[in-house]
Amino acid sequence: MNQNDTKGLSLRLIDAHCHVGWFADPAALAREAAGMGLGFLSVTVTPEEFRALDTVLAGEKNVALAAGLHPWWVRRAADADALCELLPDVRWVGEIGLDAAPRHAATWDAQLAAFNRVCARCAETSSAKTPKVLSIHAVRCAGTVLDVLEQTGAATRCRCVLHWFSGSSEELWRAARLGCLFSLGERSLATRRGREYARILPAECLLTETDLPEGKNSPATADDVIDSLNRALTGIATARNLTPAEVSTLVVRNATQLLS
């Protein structure tokens, strides 16, 4: 998938949150996955990673490459400058967001300032015909993330996907009312809360993800991605009293519409 054309693809599985750039050979992984009918929304953690991968993955039609600034990589508000410069020319944005876990508390103010700037710029540069797609990290701060999406206009002008959502039930329904989608993986579905959210969310809000690999150059293959997605499909199917095939049809349709 390039930044302007995602049509004409025939995919049987779509990973809506994956770090393709962290595989040992991203281009080879993408080509292998294409032969298996597997597509990706591939997130990056810094603008520099995006720029490097944009060349490596050019022409790989099954990969939508997102320009990101992960909150773990934010140290000061100005860290958003490089991403904001890219935003007029990219459609997919992520991983962005906020993390209020204790080990990241020291950078909270910088995270919040950077996320505000990025969301405002996304809203300004999004198109009604092909709105930007945002893959969002929200740990222990879902309410604040939703505040920013609303206040900047990103909630209405962009398509927002909450990755591995772990907020409260109230925050879940607030996000759903705002039109957010939710990418669910096997690790989120291993929790009681994750399974309940998979059961009650509107069908049109559901996507699947892996968040693989677990770190840069961690051993992982296209088969690992497919196995993880199949476990997620089974988890969602069990929660909703459907078959995995029915869930697969549903989430691929949702992802295709999201990326088209």
Side-chain angles (χ1 to χ4, degrees):
M1 306 177 202
N2 61 44
Q3 289 291 330
N4 300 307
D5 182 14
T6 63
K7 295 180 172 61
L9 294 172
S10 180
L11 300 171
R12 66 180 186 87
L13 290 169
I14 298 179
D15 187 342
H17 189 98
C18 186
H19 294 268
V20 170
W22 288 7
F23 286 81
D25 188 336
L29 179 280
R31 290 190 292 270
E32 181 185 10
M36 299 174 170
L38 170 61
F40 302 94
L41 175 58
S42 176
V43 297
T44 55
V45 297
T46 64
E48 293 75 22
E49 183 191 5
F50 169 80
R51 289 193 186 95
L53 282 175
D54 197 31
T55 299
V56 170
L57 295 173
E60 304 299 342
K61 293 185 177 294
N62 62 325
V63 181
L65 181 63
L69 180 62
H70 193 293
W72 295 358
W73 273 257
V74 174
R75 294 294 178 269
R76 54 197 181 96
D79 288 343
D81 291 352
L83 179 55
C84 287
E85 290 175 5
L86 292 172
L87 291 176
D89 300 314
V90 299
R91 182 170 173 212
W92 298 296
V93 182
E95 185 170 355
I96 59 173
L98 298 171
D99 195 313
R103 61 178 174 166
H104 301 295
T107 62
W108 174 257
D109 290 344
Q111 288 183 48
L112 185 57
F115 186 55
N116 263 292
R117 287 189 57 206
V118 168
C119 288
R121 190 65 173 145
C122 284
E124 291 169 5
T125 58
S126 190
S127 161
K129 183 177 180 182
T130 53
K132 291 193 189 300
V133 174
L134 280 53
S135 185
I136 301 167
H137 177 112
V139 172
R140 301 190 182 187
C141 56
T144 304
V145 164
L146 297 175
D147 289 343
V148 172
L149 294 178
E150 283 194 283
Q151 291 162 7
T152 60
T156 53
R157 294 186 56 82
C158 306
R159 295 174 176 176
C160 300
V161 181
L162 296 171
H163 144 66
W164 200 338
F165 184 80
S166 58
S168 68
S169 178
E170 181 180 351
E171 290 163 338
L172 179 89
W173 289 117
R174 179 185 172 194
R177 288 193 297 270
L178 286 174
C180 294
L181 285 80
F182 300 79
S183 53
L184 307 179
E186 61 172 316
R187 285 181 282 183
S188 62
L189 291 161
T191 68
R192 182 186 302 175
R193 175 176 289 185
R195 292 189 295 272
E196 177 63 7
Y197 288 175
R199 183 184 73 83
I200 64 177
L201 274 168
E204 63 272 17
C205 295
L206 294 171
L207 300 167
T208 48
E209 67 161 58
T210 65
D211 203 22
L212 286 174
E214 295 184 0
K216 292 182 180 180
N217 298 316
S218 296
T221 66
D223 284 329
D224 294 326
V225 174
I226 288 174
D227 289 346
S228 181
L229 289 175
N230 281 333
R231 287 190 289 270
L233 290 171
T234 298
I236 296 170
T238 300
R240 298 179 75 88
N241 197 28
L242 298 171
T243 68
E246 288 172 323
V247 176
S248 179
T249 298
L250 168 67
V251 298
V252 169
R253 181 174 67 242
N254 290 346
T256 300
Q257 291 173 348
L258 177 74
L259 301 173
S260 297

